[in-house]
Amino acid sequence: MTSRHMGNVSRIVVKIGTSSLMHPNGKINLQAIDQLSYTLTGLVNEGKQVILVSSGAIGAGMGQLGLINRPEEIPKQQALASIGQSELMTVYQQRFATYGQKISQVLLTHDVLDYPQSREYVHNTIEQLLDWGIIPVVNENDTVAVDELDHRTTFGDNDQLSAIVAVRSHADLLIMLSDIDGFYTGNPHQDPHAKLIKELHQVTDDSLKRAGGAGTVFGTGGMATKLKAAAHILRHNHMMVLANGANPSIIFNIMNGEEIGTLFIAENNSEELDDDRIIK
């Protein structure tokens, strides 16, 4: 297996999706959260600074109430997020504490990062947490995040949120863990000839057309949202790795430079990318 250069990576944003955190029956995947907590604590112990962007609040809320189908009504989704966020953070707190790692909760809406003053407050808070060796656990504040008229509050999904956080926090790398091994030439579940693309320098219209639809019943993401997040990363000359999050300890392999998943990186980080070809 060939290697990638990750030696200069010191600040990492890790995004984990609902499909990696929840079992198909709606129960929280405790093994995945334990592995994630162990791995991220290990990175901090190595001297890395880590930010975790975690989905799963609405999914956890659905599991708590035994719901099979995600409700379409916004108030119900917000209420489920309120229920699930509490449960999710309780589990994170327990598992990270097992390994002696302190965490914090940071809930964001889009308008908080749109306005310079509130954006500075968020930046200062995260910087202080990282200086203290604490892992901020970031999620969208689904209980109050709604698109209404010109008051933009939602990120759309946590794939977009993780890319924005990575850029705003000047992270060296975004690791996006999902339920697929990376970006393929086609849908690997339908096309037996689909091949994993190991490295991608641009997200084009053709790339987006090859992307699939929405994710699991408990989540909102799909390959298209991951490509849009990658496009945001590339426009700002950052790096992103999309990999399978079934075993979150795969992060160790990624940091060791193993060629896992799909690496999104500009061909020359000092040059402007061709915005006409990149998905906005």
Side-chain angles (χ1 to χ4, degrees):
M1 179 176 288
T2 57
S3 62
R4 296 167 175 164
H5 180 64
M6 294 291 177
N8 295 328
V9 172
S10 60
R11 180 173 291 186
I12 308 152
V13 173
V14 174
K15 188 269 177 178
I16 189 162
T18 301
S19 61
S20 301
L21 295 172
M22 305 292 300
H23 290 297
N25 62 6
K27 301 295 183 180
I28 291 180
N29 188 334
L30 297 176
Q31 182 178 9
I33 290 183
D34 185 72
Q35 291 176 347
L36 181 67
S37 304
Y38 171 81
T39 303
L40 299 191
T41 300
L43 293 180
V44 174
N45 289 346
E46 293 174 9
K48 309 292 187 185
Q49 293 182 324
V50 179
I51 300 170
L52 173 61
V53 177
S54 173
S55 298
I58 293 179
M62 289 172 60
Q64 281 279 75
L65 297 186
L67 300 180
I68 302 300
N69 297 313
R70 183 186 178 100
E72 297 181 358
E73 299 87 347
I74 295 298
K76 290 183 180 179
Q77 292 182 14
Q78 291 173 313
L80 288 171
S82 178
I83 296 169
Q85 187 66 32
S86 174
E87 181 185 14
L88 200 58
M89 285 305 299
T90 297
V91 176
Y92 273 134
Q93 186 70 48
Q94 291 171 345
R95 300 320 302 159
F96 273 105
T98 300
Y99 302 109
Q101 176 61 47
K102 293 181 173 60
I103 64 171
S104 71
Q105 176 175 281
V106 179
L107 295 177
L108 296 175
T109 53
H110 212 308
D111 53 355
V112 169
L113 296 182
D114 281 343
Y115 294 107
Q117 189 171 28
S118 56
R119 183 170 65 236
E120 181 181 0
Y121 292 155
V122 171
H123 173 78
N124 292 342
T125 297
I126 291 178
E127 287 293 326
Q128 185 61 71
L129 291 168
L130 294 175
D131 285 345
W132 282 339
I134 295 172
I135 296 178
V137 180
V138 181
N139 196 358
E140 182 166 6
N141 192 352
D142 291 313
T143 303
V144 299
V146 180
D147 277 337
E148 185 176 73
L149 300 177
D150 61 348
H151 185 61
R152 184 174 64 156
T153 62
T154 67
F155 296 95
D157 57 80
N158 277 343
D159 293 336
Q160 309 304 306
L161 173 59
S162 66
I164 293 171
V165 169
V167 170
R168 293 291 186 187
S169 64
H170 306 290
D172 302 302
L173 175 67
L174 167 61
I175 299 176
M176 188 174 292
L177 300 180
S178 184
D179 57 357
I180 194 168
D181 293 338
F183 183 57
Y184 285 78
T185 56
N187 187 333
H189 300 298
Q190 300 174 355
D191 181 3
H193 302 293
K195 295 182 179 180
L196 177 68
I197 300 174
K198 296 181 179 180
E199 191 168 305
L200 202 62
H201 304 296
Q202 289 183 322
V203 177
T204 64
D205 288 319
D206 180 64
S207 301
L208 194 61
K209 288 178 182 177
R210 291 203 303 269
T216 67
V217 66
F218 298 104
T220 59
M223 186 55 67
T225 66
K226 291 165 179 56
L227 289 182
K228 289 180 180 179
H232 186 75
I233 289 292
L234 291 174
R235 282 200 301 274
H236 292 85
N237 293 324
H238 289 249
M239 292 192 302
M240 169 178 146
V241 172
L242 173 63
N244 197 310
N247 185 347
S249 63
I250 197 175
I251 294 172
F252 283 137
N253 303 87
I254 293 171
M255 294 305 299
N256 286 335
E258 295 182 24
E259 199 174 69
I260 292 172
T262 301
L263 171 66
F264 295 86
I265 184 172
E267 287 185 286
N268 188 336
N269 287 342
S270 64
E271 295 179 359
E272 289 293 327
L273 297 176
D274 183 359
D275 284 343
D276 290 334
R277 292 188 60 197
I278 297 175
I279 306 301
K280 302 298 185 188

